[in-house]
Amino acid sequence: MKYAIDGRVSQTAPRFGHLNLSGQSPSGDRLQVNSRYLLFNQRPWLPVMGEFHFSRYDADEWETELRKIKSCGVSIVASYLFWNHHEAREGEFNFEGRRNLRQFVELCAKVGLWSVIRLGPWAHGESRYGGFPDWLMEKNIPLRGDYPEYMSYVDRLYATYAHELKGLFFKDGGPIIALQVENELTGDSDYLLKLKKMALDHGMEAPFYTVTGWGADGVAQFPENEVLPLFGGYPEAPWEQHTHPLPPNPHFFFTPVRNDSSIGSDQIAGGSAPGNDELETYPFLTCELGPGNQVTYHRRPIIQPMDAYAMSLCLLGSGSNLPGYYMFHGGYNPTNGLFQESRDTGYPNDVPVSSYDFQAPVGEYGDLKPSYFDLKRLHHLLMSYGENLAAMQPVFPGEKPKDLQDTTTPRYAIRSNGKSGFVFFNSYQRLAQLSDQPDFQLEIALEEETVCVPPRPVNLPAGVSLIFPFNLTEGELCIKSASVQPLYRMKRAEGVTLFMFAPDGVEPLLLMNRNPDRLPEGVQSDQGLIDGLMPGTDCCLEFNAEQGLVRIVILTEDQSKAFFVNEEQKQTTVCIAPNGAIVTPAGFKMLGTPGAEWLLYPPLTPCAGGTYSGRSGIFSIYREERANPPMTVGISPALALIESDNPYAKYLFAPVQDCPEYLLQVSSDLFDHFEDMRLDFETNANVIQIYCGDELVADSFQYERRFTMGLKRFRSAIESATPLRFKCSPFTPEQDIYMEAPRENGRPWIKLIRATPLTIINVPLN
């Protein structure tokens, strides 16, 4: 069915100069902001931000994990500062080991990531008392407002943070470009402004200051023109206090509404606040778009990869100019204490004692999850076309879905500058089945012409989220219309290669302003309309243009997910690595298992770390040749040693005598051969706790019938032959828990179904 939309947007320039926010580095780089987007050196800037809590991860692994984040196309790392992690005892600050704030920010700079510090003093983040130390809570003084005694402690805290961060701000040539004050505060602009001034008084000067902009009733109040309100949205709401399925999620629709009043509704009190219209002087930026969700004891959703991808795509199509993910990298709480949010501390939710995996794209064991590979495609698009997209305005159709229950009306929007742009389409809804859209085509009225996207009607199946370009130019060439999605623009000395991909189930079509000079076999081109395309590494169109050779390579959807880009060399190199790759200044670190295979373009001859095994279109294929030595890995029932007086035992939520224990057997020489080993278990347990001696080192509230973990985190215990004990608690009929996976009441069990050795193969490019 053909639909129509008016892409002739207002040419009114964005409002500029009203926000008291900007900064300049010693090298002359400048950061600014207007009412629609951020600017870097006076050009529109659409970065990607991902949250990673350094104090919830082993400091020895920070650099590797930051490189994983950057390899996904993320350019900014945000992190909470948890007060109770740094001042557990009054007046005794700790910035050692995993609490070393300065080292973490310096590593962000080394890796090439900008940094956003969420100063607090209150953070939430499912932390005990929201991050407030126990000693502060015991004083029984008013908190989170301009109260003299409280603010004296905050002043001391900010002074200490400023000392740790000295010289690391953008103005100093450092990576810190923004500071968030407080968190999820809705009705005290004066307090927020005082926190900003306090930060400045201590020398914490950044181009941007931010606050969370959501609220339970409207949008949070904040000091006008002094901070940027940032927004968010999650696929689920495990903080809701009931155990029923949630209604349809509005974030799978295209809408100009920024506020998600459900975020933090367990903590935020209602109150009057500005509405959406009053946000028009601020750009639409996010800091808590959830590619995952934390599980609580009473709500345990399973977040699917498309939950993350479709939400992020819908927010971009709705006008967001900063995808900010919470969490992008999971973690785990410090040991030797109780640092988690719990009902014991007056909070409405119980969360795991240790785990903060959050079902994030990079998990608490450093594992790359399917959502990582899905989202990377959007981030690569923004690396190539973010400057264009940031300046484009969102346009919503006249015929919108009638309500949140409407599963038949097509969901789409465009972003346009009046001459070119992108069509955003979504037929995915979490835990719902939307309708196919047969013979879909969108007629777009522009300033000088009308274009149809795709160039002829195509069937768009249910369950897809996609972006189609129109009038996308490359010098003299123009992609007038397409039913393939831009992936990455690669510039090399000999010309430009445009990588695109064909979404599964969608006929790939291109309409160019001229016919190609070279077509794959079996592909037809008639007056620039190209069909018969068979996506893959050999689906390559070539154009001889004034600016040099232009190639368009149309990959499959699976290949697009495995696509990685290294821009850290003089010449860009791309690879297709199904198990993942880490980008470094020296080249790639290929992640995988013995015998892993990857593809490179342009090819390397020879390729250190791999053996050449043929060609696949423009790519060359390489394979690691490594034997897989025998490893002893197993799990078996063991004598129960964990007793009820153990401080963590109560968070099994069952009598200790009803919780059997298992002993993990692992060869002590495991790490002589492999980088890590992933263990996949089948289980029917309510809670799994893992102990090293009497100390809890990992845990999980089970939300699936499987449990996955890595062993690298426990290397010292394994090499010293210190046992790792699994304590499993049962499901019982009286437990009221929302679950999307089946559960069985009765005695719990766990069995190992797979042990996968993991390798890292260094592939230098210089």
Side-chain angles (χ1 to χ4, degrees):
M1 181 174 178
K2 180 177 282 190
Y3 299 88
I5 196 168
D6 191 343
R8 295 170 293 186
V9 297
S10 167
Q11 296 304 313
T12 305
R15 187 177 172 188
F16 190 78
H18 61 295
L19 299 173
N20 185 26
L21 299 160
S22 66
Q24 183 168 315
S25 74
S27 64
D29 289 329
R30 189 158 182 80
L31 282 170
Q32 298 166 289
V33 60
N34 63 32
S35 59
R36 294 183 192 158
Y37 47 82
L38 304 172
L39 298 95
F40 190 88
N41 291 338
Q42 300 182 312
R43 303 183 72 88
W45 186 41
L46 206 168
V48 178
M49 182 167 70
E51 187 99 4
F52 177 31
H53 297 158
F54 64 94
S55 59
R56 281 174 161 159
Y57 219 78
D58 184 349
D60 291 340
E61 300 297 322
W62 283 345
E63 183 173 347
T64 295
E65 301 310 302
L66 287 170
R67 292 197 185 280
K68 289 177 185 176
I69 293 171
K70 187 181 180 185
S71 299
C72 196
V74 175
S75 47
I76 305 170
V77 165
S79 191
Y80 276 137
L81 300 186
F82 294 108
W83 191 347
N84 58 357
H85 288 193
H86 296 290
E87 195 186 4
R89 292 188 179 90
E90 184 176 357
E92 298 179 17
F93 284 95
N94 183 355
F95 291 97
E96 300 297 321
R98 62 158 57 193
R99 296 168 171 84
N100 194 328
L101 168 61
R102 184 173 189 85
Q103 180 187 348
F104 179 77
V105 176
E106 288 174 339
L107 281 173
C108 287
K110 177 183 178 181
V111 169
L113 289 162
W114 300 111
S115 176
V116 171
I117 302 297
R118 304 177 83 175
L119 290 171
W122 190 83
H124 196 194
E126 288 69 54
S127 182
R128 182 179 174 90
Y129 297 123
F132 281 159
D134 284 21
W135 60 261
L136 180 66
M137 300 300 297
E138 291 165 3
K139 291 182 181 295
N140 294 317
I141 61 174
L143 304 172
R144 300 187 71 192
D146 189 9
Y147 309 113
E149 187 175 0
Y150 166 68
M151 289 299 277
S152 70
Y153 292 114
V154 176
D155 185 69
R156 185 185 67 185
L157 179 70
Y158 273 25
T160 306
Y161 288 160
H163 175 76
E164 295 297 317
L165 296 172
K166 187 176 181 179
L168 295 177
F169 293 90
F170 186 71
K171 68 181 178 64
D172 310 309
I176 300 175
I177 61 172
L179 298 168
Q180 178 184 303
V181 293
E182 253 288 345
N183 191 63
E184 297 181 344
L185 191 86
T186 59
D188 196 340
S189 295
D190 292 342
Y191 167 57
L192 294 175
L193 183 59
K194 188 157 188 175
L195 290 175
K196 176 184 175 180
K197 289 180 177 178
M198 185 180 286
L200 284 166
D201 288 344
H202 288 297
M204 292 194 288
E205 180 184 340
F208 307 128
Y209 293 81
T210 72
V211 296
T212 51
W214 55 83
D217 180 11
V219 182
Q221 295 175 356
F222 49 87
E224 186 176 1
N225 298 335
E226 293 290 334
V227 296
L228 295 174
L230 272 56
F231 295 88
Y234 288 90
E236 231 273 357
W239 52 82
E240 291 286 351
Q241 293 304 291
H242 62 79
T243 56
H244 310 298
L246 297 178
N249 190 318
H251 295 297
F252 295 100
F253 295 77
F254 296 98
T255 170
V257 177
R258 304 182 188 185
N259 181 47
D260 182 342
S261 61
S262 73
I263 304 177
S265 58
D266 55 332
Q267 300 292 329
I268 299 175
S272 60
N276 208 59
D277 292 344
E278 296 171 78
L279 295 169
E280 291 302 314
T281 58
Y282 300 91
F284 183 6
L285 311 176
T286 65
C287 64
E288 289 200 20
L289 179 60
N293 260 128
Q294 176 68 307
V295 294
T296 58
Y297 183 76
H298 65 285
R299 289 197 70 87
R300 306 186 191 182
I302 301 172
I303 306 303
Q304 303 294 342
M306 277 297 292
D307 294 346
Y309 183 75
M311 281 187 64
S312 185
L313 185 144
C314 286
L315 267 289
L316 280 171
S318 298
S320 172
N321 275 333
L322 172 65
Y325 299 105
Y326 187 102
M327 295 289 295
F328 195 82
H329 195 307
Y332 53 99
N333 286 325
T335 55
N336 297 307
L338 296 170
F339 291 92
Q340 86 283 12
E341 174 181 320
S342 69
R343 291 180 173 176
D344 288 342
T345 55
Y347 280 66
N349 308 305
D350 281 308
V351 300
V353 173
S354 174
S355 175
Y356 203 67
D357 177 80
F358 218 84
Q359 303 183 58
V362 188
E364 69 171 292
Y365 295 97
D367 47 316
L368 305 186
K369 297 183 182 173
S371 58
Y372 178 97
F373 297 91
D374 277 10
L375 288 170
K376 181 164 49 62
R377 299 174 297 170
L378 294 180
H379 306 162
H380 283 152
L381 184 152
L382 297 180
M383 287 167 64
S384 300
Y385 302 108
E387 181 179 327
N388 299 9
L389 185 63
M392 292 176 175
Q393 299 180 54
V395 182
F396 303 96
E399 184 181 356
K400 303 182 184 70
K402 303 174 187 64
D403 52 38
L404 295 180
Q405 282 73 33
D406 186 342
T407 61
T408 58
T409 304
R411 303 178 187 182
Y412 65 89
I414 70 169
R415 290 191 61 174
S416 170
N417 59 16
K419 297 180 180 179
S420 62
F422 299 88
V423 175
F424 294 78
F425 175 88
N426 177 48
S427 63
Y428 176 85
Q429 172 80 48
R430 173 172 159 76
L431 301 182
Q433 179 66 36
L434 303 190
S435 300
D436 295 345
Q437 296 296 331
D439 296 325
F440 180 90
Q441 191 177 44
L442 182 61
E443 183 178 270
I444 306 171
L446 299 172
E447 293 173 7
E448 299 174 357
E449 61 178 328
T450 297
V451 298
C452 290
V453 182
R456 70 172 180 233
V458 300
N459 296 325
L460 299 182
V464 301
S465 294
L466 44 83
I467 303 171
F468 293 156
F470 56 92
N471 286 345
L472 182 66
T473 58
E474 184 58 52
E476 67 193 73
L477 292 177
C478 179
I479 300 175
K480 299 290 297 179
S481 176
S483 61
V484 292
Q485 182 163 320
L487 180 61
Y488 180 72
R489 178 185 182 271
M490 181 181 186
K491 182 76 170 71
R492 291 181 60 85
E494 65 272 18
V496 173
T497 302
L498 304 180
F499 290 96
M500 310 181 84
F501 74 92
D504 287 345
V506 178
E507 180 188 15
L509 298 169
L510 277 172
L511 178 61
M512 307 293 299
N513 63 339
R514 50 164 279 198
N515 288 324
D517 295 291
R518 181 179 175 276
L519 284 166
E521 185 177 349
V523 175
Q524 301 84 39
S525 178
D526 182 12
Q527 298 182 345
L529 178 61
I530 304 167
D531 63 5
L533 294 161
M534 297 295 291
T537 52
D538 55 354
C539 186
C540 179
L541 318 175
E542 293 186 354
F543 300 81
N544 296 315
E546 289 182 2
Q547 68 268 31
L549 179 66
V550 177
R551 287 175 167 153
I552 299 178
V553 178
I554 302 173
L555 302 173
T556 66
E557 183 152 9
D558 283 345
Q559 289 166 346
S560 75
K561 294 177 182 180
F563 187 88
F564 287 81
V565 177
N566 191 320
E567 293 182 338
E568 302 200 16
Q569 306 284 311
K570 289 182 179 179
Q571 293 284 344
T572 299
T573 303
V574 300
C575 75
I576 295 176
N579 294 301
I582 302 174
V583 175
T584 75
F588 289 106
K589 290 180 179 288
M590 301 297 179
L591 306 177
T593 58
E597 185 177 273
W598 64 90
L599 284 69
L600 284 176
Y601 172 74
L604 289 179
T605 308
C607 176
T611 302
Y612 174 77
S613 62
R615 293 292 296 270
S616 178
I618 66 170
F619 288 82
S620 292
I621 308 170
Y622 304 89
R623 181 176 289 109
E624 181 201 22
E625 303 294 344
R626 183 190 300 204
N628 191 355
M631 286 283 115
T632 300
V633 184
I635 190 167
S636 59
L639 180 67
L641 298 180
I642 304 302
E643 299 180 351
S644 57
D645 60 352
N646 183 292
Y648 314 109
K650 69 176 299 183
Y651 298 105
L652 288 162
F653 300 96
V656 168
Q657 62 270 20
D658 295 339
C659 303
E661 292 183 25
Y662 295 79
L663 198 63
L664 186 69
Q665 299 91 32
V666 185
S667 298
S668 60
D669 64 345
L670 167 67
F671 297 100
D672 295 340
H673 306 284
F674 301 115
E675 180 71 18
D676 198 354
M677 181 169 281
R678 184 179 66 242
L679 303 183
D680 294 297
F681 299 92
E682 186 179 353
T683 182
N684 185 65
N686 181 7
V687 179
I688 296 173
Q689 292 185 341
I690 303 174
Y691 288 84
C692 184
D694 290 331
E695 189 60 47
L696 180 73
V697 293
D699 64 348
S700 173
F701 289 175
Q702 284 301 105
Y703 55 93
E704 295 185 276
R705 291 294 297 267
R706 62 182 180 85
F707 173 62
T708 299
M709 63 181 290
L711 292 181
K712 186 176 181 180
R713 176 162 136 196
F714 313 109
R715 179 170 184 164
S716 60
I718 290 169
E719 290 181 336
S720 63
T722 304
L724 290 174
R725 307 183 69 84
F726 287 57
K727 190 80 167 174
C728 301
S729 69
F731 287 112
T732 60
E734 65 273 12
Q735 292 165 346
D736 185 18
I737 301 173
Y738 170 77
M739 297 190 69
E740 295 168 8
R743 77 184 218 197
E744 297 175 9
N745 298 320
R747 186 172 177 80
W749 50 267
I750 185 169
K751 64 180 179 180
L752 180 67
I753 56 174
R754 190 181 302 106
T756 307
L758 303 177
T759 62
I760 290 183
I761 307 127
N762 289 312
V763 180
L765 297 178
N766 47 17

